[in-house]
Amino acid sequence: MSKNLISRLNAATASSVKPKINYLGQISDPATNQVIKNNSKKSVLYDLFGRKHNYLRVSLTERCNLRCTYCMPEEGVKLTPNEKLLTGSEIVNLINFFARLGVNKVRFTGGEPLVRKDCVDIIREVGKIEGIKKIAMTSNGIVLSKKIKDLKEAGLNQLNISLDTLEEKKFEFVAKRKGWSKVMNSIQAAIDLDYSPLKINCVVMKGINDDEITNFIEFTKDKNIDVRFIEYMPFDGNKWNTKKMVSFREMMKIIAQKYPIESIQKLQDDPNDTSKAFKIENYKGQFGFITSMSEHFCSTCNRIRLTADGNLKVCLFGNSEVSLRDAIRSNMNDEDLEELISSAIKRKKEKHAGLDILPSLKNRPMILIDNCTSCKNKVSNIYYSKSSHYKYENNNKNFLVRNSILLTNLYSNQNRLATFRFYSTDSYDEQNALWNQFKDYYKEKTNQSNQNSLNSMFTHLDNETNLPKQVDISEKKQSESKPVRIACASGFIQLNNETFKALTQNKLKKGNALIVAQIAGIQASKQTQNLIPLCHQILLDVCDVNFILDEVNNRVVCEAICKTSASKTGVEMEALTACSIALLTIYDMCKAIQKDAVINDIKLEYKYGGKSDYKRN
């Protein structure tokens, strides 16, 4: 590619200006803080990185009349009972509530939203809500042409239609159903009704439709449409791998082979656009790229999702959700519902995982991306009670669930809104049952033969003297199949009721024990080689230390997860060290009022990477 095109690509990837984040992860941008302070009601929608979430995506159903291979697993999905889905009135009421908080755009998705019989009625009612300026829908177009006039009259003013191929036979291969001509009729009907520009979503898959990229661009020549090429993303059951993904830059190379560089124009993107917009000179329409995999746009994300069964989901690739359905059906008051929503948004991470981690993380099938019933790692239901403490509903007697504690509850409203974040260097999604996210474990695990000699069992012993020695790893090769090494350790400290209450209410004389302990654990993980004599020096990619408050048993449960992609040895000791020091720090912070606190059950939960893997039963 020419330097001209490269400069345009670099311009396309430039992120919008983000609020400044200080070394503690706090918002240090005065303008952002002032907005939050001046508008406390709407500050519910701000996360801890200054992003305002004014765009709500609502799944109306998990049902679909197509079976696209990148969306629907071959075995299908288990449907949710109707009584567990949000009713039409519940959807409208929740949207109305979000509008009062500051949401001004709503998009209806599915499944296929038009499969739901009251879809038009819901849109008509949402159109009456004060503050909602844009009502959008994403549809596969199969039945859209029959309902599009009613939708327009009801107030639908933005429309996306999914179309992955311009060839009828290929459509049937991808969607596993007939219907290409119906989709094309819907596209024309939308153009005739002046949906401008009409957006066409195209998931690009190598060897399937990447040969049609320039055909889609030609489709924009005489039509006011915006074709958005979407990088193939990993979801449960869609058999994703890097060989199937076509990146943004690969697509641009294909385009540059056909069109003169001078004719490819970069358009101005709005601050919260997910698509990098381009057009061909003198063409009526335009095209763009949604680069979730190769070049994420997390810094400007303003979207939250409401699932068909009423769960609030703050990140497309996250698997942590909070049930708003249960909240409204239990008649939760507005103040507590605000607090529940605010806490969920403020737990949103700065960005989702990268290509090295994301494909291994557990997530729902795309067909259920707005419905949680099939999520094997579904979090416990969390609700806010009038006693100002978060309660945890968990049918499992073992409290070691993989949910991050809502630490925002430990702070005043002002601090919670503007200055607090989880003290973790981790950049990927919450570690809910992380071990189960590595599917290769069960495929690659082999039975280990019993070791007959002490020396073969303990590699830190010298063969001749049986004295301790450090293992020489200079000749050890980095694992090609599993280059990333991850380990998780856990433990807990047993407190009495008085101490536990003082800790959770942040009334300890030494300060906030949980924050100090998190920092201590992270620092300790990086000093493991100085504390454990025979450990090697390891460059960690991340150490994530989280706490869970067990109110029933007055316990603080600690979970430490370490990851490296640049080591020949595992990170079990780093995780165990982080967990141990974090709990010791809590003891130190609490010993003034309880000297008999006991640290218990420090153990390795799992390790992944290298020759052998391990998971505690």
Side-chain angles (χ1 to χ4, degrees):
M1 290 188 291
S2 70
K3 292 182 179 180
N4 192 6
L5 179 58
I6 292 175
S7 65
R8 296 183 191 195
L9 292 180
N10 291 334
T13 62
S15 300
S16 300
V17 177
K18 298 189 294 183
K20 295 179 180 179
I21 308 296
N22 67 19
Y23 75 102
L24 291 178
Q26 303 166 344
I27 301 172
S28 59
D29 178 25
T32 301
N33 276 330
Q34 195 59 43
V35 169
I36 292 176
K37 291 177 181 178
N38 290 345
N39 202 342
S40 59
K41 192 76 171 178
K42 294 186 179 181
S43 66
V44 171
L45 299 178
Y46 281 91
D47 67 13
L48 299 176
F49 302 96
R51 297 172 294 199
K52 181 183 178 182
H53 297 76
N54 62 333
Y55 178 5
L56 177 66
R57 298 174 64 95
V58 180
S59 172
L60 294 181
T61 178
E62 65 191 48
R63 297 176 182 270
C64 187
N65 44 14
L66 296 180
R67 295 292 183 271
C68 300
T69 53
Y70 57 81
C71 181
M72 175 79 78
E74 289 181 0
E75 66 275 14
V77 294
K78 183 179 180 181
L79 297 176
T80 304
N82 287 336
E83 63 271 15
K84 293 186 178 181
L85 300 174
L86 290 176
T87 65
S89 60
E90 287 174 332
I91 291 172
V92 173
N93 289 338
L94 280 171
I95 293 174
N96 189 28
F97 189 84
F98 275 101
R100 297 204 303 270
L101 297 178
V103 165
N104 56 24
K105 179 177 180 179
V106 176
R107 175 175 296 277
F108 293 102
T109 66
E112 167 54 37
L114 292 178
V115 169
R116 181 159 176 156
K117 295 180 180 180
D118 58 352
C119 176
V120 176
D121 296 330
I122 291 172
I123 291 174
R124 183 176 292 109
E125 292 303 311
V126 171
K128 300 175 184 177
I129 296 175
E130 183 179 355
I132 299 297
K133 299 177 181 179
K134 297 179 181 178
I135 304 177
M137 175 185 287
T138 299
S139 170
N140 62 25
I142 295 295
V143 299
L144 177 62
S145 61
K146 298 179 181 179
K147 299 184 178 183
I148 193 167
K149 289 184 179 180
D150 292 337
L151 290 167
K152 186 79 170 181
E153 293 171 359
L156 187 73
N157 48 36
Q158 290 188 350
L159 184 60
N160 291 35
I161 298 177
S162 299
L163 179 66
D164 301 315
T165 177
L166 296 172
E167 301 175 12
E168 186 169 4
K169 290 297 183 182
K170 192 182 291 185
F171 178 91
E172 294 175 16
F173 172 78
V174 173
K176 306 301 182 186
R177 297 289 188 275
K178 294 181 180 296
W180 180 83
S181 59
K182 294 178 180 179
V183 179
M184 299 304 291
N185 290 339
S186 294
I187 290 174
Q188 189 57 52
I191 293 173
D192 293 342
L193 284 176
D194 199 28
Y195 279 100
S196 178
L198 172 67
K199 295 181 180 180
I200 306 296
N201 292 346
C202 176
V203 177
V204 180
M205 296 162 283
K206 189 170 292 185
I208 295 179
N209 63 347
D210 56 331
D211 60 334
E212 294 187 68
I213 291 174
T214 55
N215 294 343
F216 270 102
I217 292 179
E218 284 301 300
F219 198 43
T220 71
K221 186 173 184 178
D222 301 313
K223 295 180 175 62
N224 187 19
I225 59 176
D226 179 5
V227 175
R228 291 130 57 87
F229 298 111
I230 303 172
E231 291 179 343
Y232 185 32
M233 294 177 283
F235 294 98
D236 202 19
N238 73 351
K239 298 181 179 179
W240 185 95
N241 64 62
T242 54
K243 293 181 180 179
K244 293 182 181 179
M245 193 192 88
V246 185
S247 71
F248 157 51
R249 292 181 181 249
E250 288 178 286
M251 288 187 262
M252 281 301 293
K253 288 179 182 178
I254 294 172
I255 295 168
Q257 289 173 4
K258 177 170 181 176
Y259 299 96
I261 299 301
E262 299 75 23
S263 68
I264 304 175
Q265 301 176 348
K266 178 70 186 76
L267 303 180
Q268 179 65 45
D269 299 319
D270 290 334
N272 300 115
D273 278 351
T274 59
S275 176
K276 298 174 174 64
F278 294 81
K279 73 174 299 176
I280 302 299
E281 186 178 12
N282 297 325
Y283 279 31
K284 192 172 184 179
Q286 64 185 65
F287 62 96
F289 305 88
I290 298 179
T291 60
S292 302
M293 298 302 294
S294 65
E295 298 175 10
H296 69 77
F297 35 83
C298 301
S299 64
T300 59
C301 180
N302 67 335
R303 293 166 295 284
I304 50 178
R305 289 170 168 79
L306 182 64
T307 70
D309 66 345
N311 281 6
L312 180 64
K313 183 181 178 72
V314 298
C315 177
L316 175 65
F317 295 105
N319 52 18
S320 178
E321 300 167 0
V322 175
S323 177
L324 301 187
R325 178 201 64 199
D326 293 349
I328 60 176
R329 289 184 182 179
S330 62
N331 298 316
M332 179 181 285
N333 63 47
D334 286 358
E335 182 180 354
D336 288 348
L337 186 57
E338 267 186 39
E339 184 65 30
L340 182 63
I341 293 169
S342 177
S343 295
I345 291 175
K346 285 168 179 57
R347 286 184 296 141
K348 184 171 182 175
K349 299 227 173 181
E350 184 178 11
K351 59 184 178 180
H352 65 66
L355 267 172
D356 59 333
I357 291 295
L358 189 59
S360 300
L361 298 180
K362 191 70 178 176
N363 202 356
R364 291 187 299 278
M366 187 61 179
I367 185 69
L368 294 177
I369 199 62
D370 292 313
N371 189 285
C372 192
T373 55
S374 73
C375 181
K376 297 177 182 177
N377 295 326
K378 182 176 180 179
V379 300
S380 309
N381 290 325
I382 305 171
Y383 63 92
Y384 191 76
S385 68
K386 294 181 179 180
S387 64
S388 296
H389 289 286
Y390 282 93
K391 308 291 184 182
Y392 291 81
E393 295 177 343
N394 194 338
N395 295 326
N396 191 343
K397 294 181 179 180
N398 180 4
F399 199 81
L400 270 175
V401 293
R402 299 288 178 258
N403 300 337
S404 297
I405 180 66
L406 299 182
L407 292 178
T408 51
N409 188 48
L410 303 179
Y411 297 83
S412 67
N413 283 334
Q414 181 178 359
N415 287 336
R416 184 185 302 133
L417 294 174
T419 63
F420 183 74
R421 65 160 292 192
F422 284 113
Y423 284 80
S424 167
T425 57
D426 198 356
S427 64
Y428 49 91
D429 289 319
E430 295 184 35
Q431 308 298 328
N432 297 338
L434 180 62
W435 174 256
N436 293 323
Q437 297 165 356
F438 295 96
K439 300 175 183 177
D440 289 341
Y441 171 74
Y442 294 104
K443 297 178 182 178
E444 298 180 4
K445 184 178 180 182
T446 57
N447 294 325
Q448 300 291 326
S449 60
N450 293 327
Q451 302 296 318
N452 296 321
S453 68
L454 182 66
N455 292 338
S456 61
M457 293 175 63
F458 299 102
T459 57
H460 284 79
L461 292 180
D462 186 273
N463 288 333
E464 297 180 359
T465 65
N466 277 343
L467 293 177
K469 70 167 186 176
Q470 189 174 44
V471 176
D472 184 356
I473 61 172
S474 60
E475 301 299 325
K476 191 175 182 180
K477 294 183 179 179
Q478 181 83 324
S479 173
E480 295 181 0
S481 61
K482 294 180 290 185
V484 176
R485 297 171 182 265
I486 297 178
C488 173
S490 70
F492 68 88
I493 183 169
Q494 182 66 59
L495 305 173
N496 59 33
N497 186 61
E498 177 189 2
T499 308
F500 187 85
K501 186 175 180 180
L503 182 144
T504 56
Q505 294 181 359
N506 196 20
K507 292 182 178 180
L508 296 172
K509 291 184 179 180
K510 289 189 174 183
N512 193 301
L514 295 181
I515 290 181
V516 176
Q518 280 186 312
I519 296 173
I522 293 169
Q523 289 180 332
S525 69
K526 295 182 285 187
Q527 295 296 320
T528 301
Q529 74 276 7
N530 295 326
L531 299 172
I532 312 296
L534 301 183
C535 284
H536 292 88
Q537 185 173 357
I538 291 178
L539 179 63
L540 290 177
D541 293 342
V542 63
C543 175
D544 189 11
V545 178
N546 291 302
F547 297 106
I548 303 162
L549 301 186
D550 182 352
E551 296 179 343
V552 177
N553 298 304
N554 292 330
R555 293 176 177 177
V556 179
V557 181
C558 176
E559 179 186 77
I561 300 172
C562 291
K563 183 190 81 168
T564 181
S565 57
S567 176
K568 297 178 181 179
T569 61
V571 289
E572 302 97 303
M573 294 307 301
E574 283 69 20
L576 287 163
T577 300
C579 180
S580 302
I581 297 300
L583 292 173
L584 281 169
T585 303
I586 292 178
Y587 178 88
D588 178 64
M589 301 284 283
C590 297
K591 67 182 181 183
I593 54 177
Q594 185 188 354
K595 291 183 172 58
D596 63 349
V598 179
I599 296 173
N600 285 287
D601 206 24
I602 295 177
K603 60 184 180 295
L604 180 68
E605 292 285 353
Y606 57 79
K607 70 172 287 286
Y608 172 83
K611 290 183 178 180
S612 63
D613 300 322
Y614 168 79
K615 177 192 175 186
R616 184 173 295 276
N617 292 328

